[in-house]
Amino acid sequence: MSNLNQYDYYLVLDLEATCCELLRSTEGERGTIKRHEMEIIEIGAVMVEKQDLTIVAEFQTFIKPVRYPILTNFCKSLTSITQTQVDQAPSYPEAAILLKKWLSNYSNAVFGSWGDYDRHQFLQDSKFHQVPFPIAYPHVNLKQLFSERQGLPKRYGMKEALELAGLTLSGTHHRGIDDARNIAKLLPYILGRKQLNPL
């Protein structure tokens, strides 16, 4: 997936999911949600056109989880997503249909996320709910590409990557739509159109 110039659009997507504190015990929540039982609670996505890398459309929805419908305090604190927001949200199958409908407006696109987590979580939720994977585009790991194109020896978190590029993190970190917008800011560096200043 080295030549991304063949695509007309870049779908930049970020998910938030049910989670719990793994490092220390907080109100008995430690380890309550296993990795394979996590569920998407927010899809945030931006569609970026190739020429000048501007965002031409956005998609955002919360999703109501079914395995662990009550969000942990850790999850609410990390994401700023509230219980009310997920309680009133569509189910994953409904959200997948909404996303697919939105994506139908854009052909010849590639799906990028910061790492492989988002793609795996989509696969996991689709399998659990027995619905088709909602994104037909090929996937690319933007985290990996950022390091490769910039000749960096290791991979960085999105927040660190923004700092390396001298960019400000906008909105709330660990909110899907805000993180998608922030990742989109890094596209000139991910695509090799801009180079980082030497450290």
Side-chain angles (χ1 to χ4, degrees):
M1 190 63 67
S2 56
N3 182 21
L4 293 179
N5 288 323
Q6 62 186 294
Y7 300 102
D8 296 323
Y9 295 100
Y10 305 122
L11 168 67
V12 179
L13 186 144
D14 187 79
L15 302 175
E16 301 305 326
T18 52
C19 55
C20 59
E21 175 64 275
L22 296 174
L23 302 176
R24 62 182 185 278
S25 181
T26 54
E27 301 176 29
E29 292 180 352
R30 184 175 178 272
T32 51
I33 301 175
K34 307 287 185 283
R35 172 68 192 87
H36 67 276
E37 294 178 335
M38 290 168 66
E39 291 173 273
I40 299 167
I41 54 172
E42 184 191 10
I43 300 171
V46 295
M47 192 64 73
V48 179
E49 61 83 30
K50 176 173 77 175
Q51 294 312 117
D52 54 5
L53 302 179
T54 54
I55 294 172
V56 293
E58 296 188 346
F59 176 92
Q60 189 277 339
T61 185
F62 296 112
I63 295 175
K64 186 173 187 171
V66 294
R67 280 171 158 162
Y68 293 92
I70 305 301
L71 300 181
T72 64
N73 289 330
F74 172 76
C75 185
K76 288 185 284 187
S77 172
L78 179 73
T79 64
S80 80
I81 296 170
T82 67
Q83 188 65 47
T84 304
Q85 285 171 320
V86 295
D87 284 346
Q88 297 173 349
S91 66
Y92 176 78
E94 291 168 328
I97 290 169
L98 292 172
L99 176 62
K100 199 168 180 178
K101 185 178 178 186
W102 179 71
L103 293 175
S104 69
N105 296 307
Y106 306 95
S107 58
N108 193 30
V110 62
F111 158 34
S113 59
W114 200 258
D116 281 328
Y117 157 76
D118 303 81
R119 183 175 64 89
H120 288 303
Q121 188 64 50
F122 257 129
L123 287 167
Q124 182 171 295
D125 283 42
S126 297
K127 185 178 178 184
F128 176 73
H129 288 278
Q130 298 182 311
V131 295
F133 189 82
I135 305 170
Y137 313 145
H139 178 263
V140 62
N141 182 332
L142 301 178
K143 185 180 193 176
Q144 179 182 339
L145 262 185
F146 176 77
S147 291
E148 287 176 1
R149 294 286 164 93
Q150 297 299 324
L152 299 169
K154 65 169 207 164
R155 296 183 189 181
Y156 292 86
M158 181 204 75
K159 192 176 176 186
E160 293 171 297
L162 287 167
E163 288 168 5
L164 285 172
L167 298 169
T168 307
L169 191 148
S170 308
T172 304
H173 192 21
H174 298 300
R175 269 296 312 280
I177 188 62
D178 289 338
D179 282 353
R181 290 169 183 151
N182 282 308
I183 295 165
K185 290 189 208 173
L186 288 164
L187 280 173
Y189 299 93
I190 293 165
L191 296 168
R193 296 188 192 179
K194 284 187 178 179
Q195 290 298 309
L196 296 173
N197 292 323
L199 296 174

Short mmCIF file of all heavy atoms in Angstrom, two decimals, residues 19 24 71-82 172-174:
data_model
loop_
_atom_site.label_atom_id
_atom_site.label_comp_id
_atom_site.label_asym_id
_atom_site.label_seq_id
_atom_site.Cartn_x
_atom_site.Cartn_y
_atom_site.Cartn_z
N CYS A 19 -14.30 0.13 27.61
CA CYS A 19 -12.99 -0.21 28.15
C CYS A 19 -13.01 -0.09 29.67
O CYS A 19 -13.95 0.45 30.25
CB CYS A 19 -11.91 0.72 27.57
SG CYS A 19 -12.27 2.49 27.83
N ARG A 24 -4.58 -0.23 37.34
CA ARG A 24 -4.83 -0.19 38.79
C ARG A 24 -6.33 -0.30 39.04
O ARG A 24 -7.15 0.05 38.19
CB ARG A 24 -4.28 1.08 39.41
CG ARG A 24 -4.92 2.34 38.85
CD ARG A 24 -4.28 3.59 39.48
NE ARG A 24 -4.96 4.78 39.04
CZ ARG A 24 -4.73 5.39 37.89
NH1 ARG A 24 -3.82 4.92 37.06
NH2 ARG A 24 -5.40 6.47 37.55
N LEU A 71 -21.28 2.01 30.88
CA LEU A 71 -19.89 2.42 30.70
C LEU A 71 -19.17 2.49 32.05
O LEU A 71 -19.75 2.93 33.05
CB LEU A 71 -19.82 3.81 30.04
CG LEU A 71 -20.44 3.95 28.65
CD1 LEU A 71 -20.24 5.38 28.15
CD2 LEU A 71 -19.85 2.95 27.66
N THR A 72 -17.92 2.05 32.07
CA THR A 72 -17.13 2.16 33.29
C THR A 72 -16.77 3.63 33.52
O THR A 72 -16.74 4.44 32.59
CB THR A 72 -15.83 1.34 33.19
OG1 THR A 72 -15.02 1.89 32.14
CG2 THR A 72 -16.10 -0.14 32.90
N ASN A 73 -16.49 3.96 34.77
CA ASN A 73 -16.06 5.32 35.08
C ASN A 73 -14.78 5.66 34.33
O ASN A 73 -14.60 6.79 33.86
CB ASN A 73 -15.85 5.49 36.59
CG ASN A 73 -17.16 5.48 37.34
OD1 ASN A 73 -18.19 5.90 36.81
ND2 ASN A 73 -17.14 5.00 38.57
N PHE A 74 -13.91 4.66 34.19
CA PHE A 74 -12.65 4.86 33.45
C PHE A 74 -12.95 5.25 32.00
O PHE A 74 -12.36 6.17 31.45
CB PHE A 74 -11.81 3.59 33.50
CG PHE A 74 -10.59 3.64 32.61
CD1 PHE A 74 -9.47 4.38 32.98
CD2 PHE A 74 -10.56 2.96 31.40
CE1 PHE A 74 -8.35 4.44 32.16
CE2 PHE A 74 -9.45 3.02 30.58
CZ PHE A 74 -8.34 3.76 30.95
N CYS A 75 -13.86 4.54 31.37
CA CYS A 75 -14.22 4.79 29.97
C CYS A 75 -14.82 6.18 29.80
O CYS A 75 -14.46 6.92 28.88
CB CYS A 75 -15.20 3.72 29.50
SG CYS A 75 -15.62 3.81 27.75
N LYS A 76 -15.72 6.56 30.70
CA LYS A 76 -16.35 7.88 30.63
C LYS A 76 -15.31 8.98 30.82
O LYS A 76 -15.36 10.01 30.13
CB LYS A 76 -17.46 8.00 31.67
CG LYS A 76 -18.70 7.18 31.33
CD LYS A 76 -19.84 7.38 32.31
CE LYS A 76 -19.58 6.66 33.62
NZ LYS A 76 -20.77 6.71 34.51
N SER A 77 -14.37 8.75 31.73
CA SER A 77 -13.33 9.73 31.99
C SER A 77 -12.37 9.85 30.80
O SER A 77 -11.99 10.94 30.39
CB SER A 77 -12.56 9.32 33.24
OG SER A 77 -11.44 10.14 33.43
N LEU A 78 -11.99 8.70 30.22
CA LEU A 78 -11.05 8.68 29.09
C LEU A 78 -11.63 9.35 27.85
O LEU A 78 -10.97 10.16 27.20
CB LEU A 78 -10.66 7.24 28.75
CG LEU A 78 -9.70 7.04 27.59
CD1 LEU A 78 -8.30 7.47 27.98
CD2 LEU A 78 -9.71 5.59 27.12
N THR A 79 -12.87 9.02 27.54
CA THR A 79 -13.46 9.44 26.25
C THR A 79 -14.33 10.69 26.34
O THR A 79 -14.63 11.30 25.31
CB THR A 79 -14.33 8.32 25.66
OG1 THR A 79 -15.44 8.09 26.54
CG2 THR A 79 -13.53 7.03 25.49
N SER A 80 -14.79 11.03 27.54
CA SER A 80 -15.77 12.09 27.78
C SER A 80 -17.15 11.74 27.21
O SER A 80 -18.04 12.58 27.14
CB SER A 80 -15.30 13.46 27.23
OG SER A 80 -15.50 13.57 25.83
N ILE A 81 -17.33 10.49 26.79
CA ILE A 81 -18.64 10.02 26.31
C ILE A 81 -19.51 9.67 27.52
O ILE A 81 -19.04 9.01 28.45
CB ILE A 81 -18.48 8.81 25.36
CG1 ILE A 81 -17.71 9.23 24.10
CG2 ILE A 81 -19.84 8.21 24.99
CD1 ILE A 81 -17.29 8.08 23.21
N THR A 82 -20.75 10.10 27.50
CA THR A 82 -21.63 9.89 28.65
C THR A 82 -22.53 8.67 28.46
O THR A 82 -22.75 8.20 27.34
CB THR A 82 -22.52 11.12 28.89
OG1 THR A 82 -23.45 11.24 27.79
CG2 THR A 82 -21.71 12.41 28.98
N THR A 172 -11.18 17.14 21.88
CA THR A 172 -10.95 16.26 23.02
C THR A 172 -10.27 14.98 22.57
O THR A 172 -10.81 14.25 21.74
CB THR A 172 -12.30 15.91 23.70
OG1 THR A 172 -12.96 17.13 24.06
CG2 THR A 172 -12.10 15.07 24.94
N HIS A 173 -9.08 14.71 23.13
CA HIS A 173 -8.37 13.47 22.80
C HIS A 173 -9.20 12.28 23.29
O HIS A 173 -9.82 12.35 24.34
CB HIS A 173 -6.99 13.49 23.47
CG HIS A 173 -6.06 12.42 23.00
ND1 HIS A 173 -6.22 11.78 21.78
CD2 HIS A 173 -4.96 11.88 23.57
CE1 HIS A 173 -5.25 10.89 21.64
NE2 HIS A 173 -4.48 10.92 22.71
N HIS A 174 -9.22 11.21 22.52
CA HIS A 174 -10.03 10.02 22.78
C HIS A 174 -11.52 10.28 22.58
O HIS A 174 -12.36 9.65 23.22
CB HIS A 174 -9.77 9.44 24.19
CG HIS A 174 -8.36 8.99 24.38
ND1 HIS A 174 -7.79 8.01 23.60
CD2 HIS A 174 -7.42 9.40 25.24
CE1 HIS A 174 -6.53 7.84 23.99
NE2 HIS A 174 -6.28 8.67 24.97
#
